[in-house]
Amino acid sequence: MAPTPTGDGSSTNLLKPTPEQVTILWLIGGYMAGILILWQMPYLKHLLYPFKLVTIGLHEFGHACMACVSGGKVKSITVDPNLGGLTTYVGNRRTQCLALPAGYLGSSFLGAILVFCAFNVTASKGAAIMLMLCLVLTIFWARNLLAFGICLFFAGITGLLWWLDGGKYLKYFTLFLGVMSCIYSILEILDMLVLRKSNGSDAEQFAEKYGIFPAQGWGFIWLIISLIFLVGAVLAGLAAFKDDGAGNGSGTGK
């Protein structure tokens, strides 16, 4: 990327992080490492359990949202305590074609938006509004107590952090949810690709209905897209938010 000129005649690379952005990058790396370490660790993996549940809820929201956008009608969303989920909807062939990939891709895209907005305090508040809207809509479609309760809980936590100390801690929470949502989609697809856990998966249903590639082929395509969302969110955040919105800009003084 070509450098952009600054007011004093020098030039800076848009992707060169400011000190505040370096902190966010370290947080992203730390969150990723923590999630991967805890993912299957005995006993400690339960620390991630509520975050996995809400991520499943957002995965199901992706199906439901795309079903509505493509002309379908959502009947229900359920979240299973064994870390499963189900969205039922009615629609035509186009609805099914668009809604099936929207679980993994929708939740990873939503996660990428949360990661992108974490580079700026004001943007993170806008992302929090979007997140709460997604959770409220999931509550509206929820047809079991777990789906209703976990989405209500996280919507409440988001609202509380918005109010607490002027939203000072909000971006750290939404950033974690963003990283979690992206990582969850990526790890689930990797499980399908490496361990061949495609039985009953979105990718298997998509392959059965539309062919072209087997389930693992579609899973690989969705994996690449999810990675592009995550990497693109980080790069876009670095380029767009040189001022973190809390008075910590990247300008120089004399």
Side-chain angles (χ1 to χ4, degrees), residues 226-251:
S226 296
L227 288 171
I228 290 172
F229 285 161
L230 177 57
V231 174
V234 173
L235 296 178
L238 289 174
F241 298 123
K242 291 305 179 186
D243 185 330
D244 68 356
N248 298 313
S250 60

Side-chain angles (χ1 to χ4, degrees), residues 90-136:
V90 293
N92 54 29
R93 184 177 176 84
R94 180 186 62 181
T95 301
Q96 294 178 332
C97 180
L98 294 174
L100 275 173
Y104 289 122
L105 297 183
S107 59
S108 60
F109 183 69
L110 175 61
I113 293 175
L114 295 176
V115 170
F116 167 72
C117 291
F119 284 90
N120 180 271
V121 172
T122 303
S124 69
K125 291 183 177 181
I129 294 175
M130 177 196 69
L131 174 63
M132 287 191 287
L133 178 61
C134 294
L135 292 171
V136 168

Side-chain angles (χ1 to χ4, degrees), residues 54-67 69 87 97-115 127 130-131 134-135 138 177-186 188-189 202 218 221-230 233:
V54 75
T55 302
I56 291 169
L58 293 174
H59 173 104
E60 300 306 327
F61 169 78
H63 288 308
C65 183
M66 187 54 71
V69 169
T87 300
C97 180
L98 294 174
L100 275 173
Y104 289 122
L105 297 183
S107 59
S108 60
F109 183 69
L110 175 61
I113 293 175
L114 295 176
V115 170
M130 177 196 69
L131 174 63
C134 294
L135 292 171
T138 306
L177 288 181
V179 172
M180 181 72 188
S181 193
C182 290
I183 291 294
Y184 191 91
S185 294
I186 291 169
E188 285 289 295
I189 296 173
D202 295 340
W218 285 113
I221 292 172
W222 297 350
L223 173 66
I224 296 301
I225 295 173
S226 296
L227 288 171
I228 290 172
F229 285 161
L230 177 57

Side-chain angles (χ1 to χ4, degrees), residues 5-18:
T6 59
D8 60 0
S10 63
S11 62
T12 57
N13 193 313
L14 281 176
L15 298 182
K16 182 178 180 180
T18 65

Side-chain angles (χ1 to χ4, degrees), residues 5-252:
T6 59
D8 60 0
S10 63
S11 62
T12 57
N13 193 313
L14 281 176
L15 298 182
K16 182 178 180 180
T18 65
E20 291 74 29
Q21 289 178 328
V22 170
T23 300
I24 297 297
L25 292 175
W26 276 109
L27 279 173
I28 292 172
Y31 285 162
M32 285 183 175
I35 291 168
L36 292 173
I37 290 170
L38 294 175
W39 195 258
Q40 293 295 345
M41 184 176 288
Y43 304 110
L44 292 180
K45 67 181 180 181
H46 298 299
L47 294 172
L48 290 179
Y49 183 69
F51 295 98
K52 288 183 178 182
L53 288 177
V54 75
T55 302
I56 291 169
L58 293 174
H59 173 104
E60 300 306 327
F61 169 78
H63 288 308
C65 183
M66 187 54 71
C68 287
V69 169
S70 58
K73 181 178 180 181
V74 178
K75 299 177 70 176
S76 68
I77 287 178
T78 57
V79 174
D80 191 312
N82 295 317
L83 300 178
L86 179 66
T87 300
T88 57
Y89 54 87
V90 293
N92 54 29
R93 184 177 176 84
R94 180 186 62 181
T95 301
Q96 294 178 332
C97 180
L98 294 174
L100 275 173
Y104 289 122
L105 297 183
S107 59
S108 60
F109 183 69
L110 175 61
I113 293 175
L114 295 176
V115 170
F116 167 72
C117 291
F119 284 90
N120 180 271
V121 172
T122 303
S124 69
K125 291 183 177 181
I129 294 175
M130 177 196 69
L131 174 63
M132 287 191 287
L133 178 61
C134 294
L135 292 171
V136 168
L137 286 173
T138 306
I139 291 171
F140 175 76
W141 287 315
R143 293 298 180 269
N144 73 328
L145 185 60
L146 183 58
F148 181 90
I150 196 66
C151 291
L152 181 63
F153 175 76
F154 274 86
I157 292 295
T158 304
L160 176 64
L161 289 174
W162 177 292
W163 170 81
L164 186 65
D165 204 7
K168 180 179 179 181
Y169 307 104
L170 180 65
K171 73 174 183 179
Y172 303 109
F173 180 72
T174 56
L175 176 61
F176 183 83
L177 288 181
V179 172
M180 181 72 188
S181 193
C182 290
I183 291 294
Y184 191 91
S185 294
I186 291 169
L187 290 179
E188 285 289 295
I189 296 173
L190 283 174
D191 270 352
M192 180 178 61
L193 293 174
V194 176
L195 302 179
R196 302 281 176 168
K197 294 181 179 178
S198 60
N199 188 29
S201 69
D202 295 340
E204 184 180 47
Q205 294 180 57
F206 195 84
E208 288 177 353
K209 291 179 180 294
Y210 304 105
I212 304 177
F213 302 112
Q216 283 74 23
W218 285 113
F220 180 75
I221 292 172
W222 297 350
L223 173 66
I224 296 301
I225 295 173
S226 296
L227 288 171
I228 290 172
F229 285 161
L230 177 57
V231 174
V234 173
L235 296 178
L238 289 174
F241 298 123
K242 291 305 179 186
D243 185 330
D244 68 356
N248 298 313
S250 60
T252 59

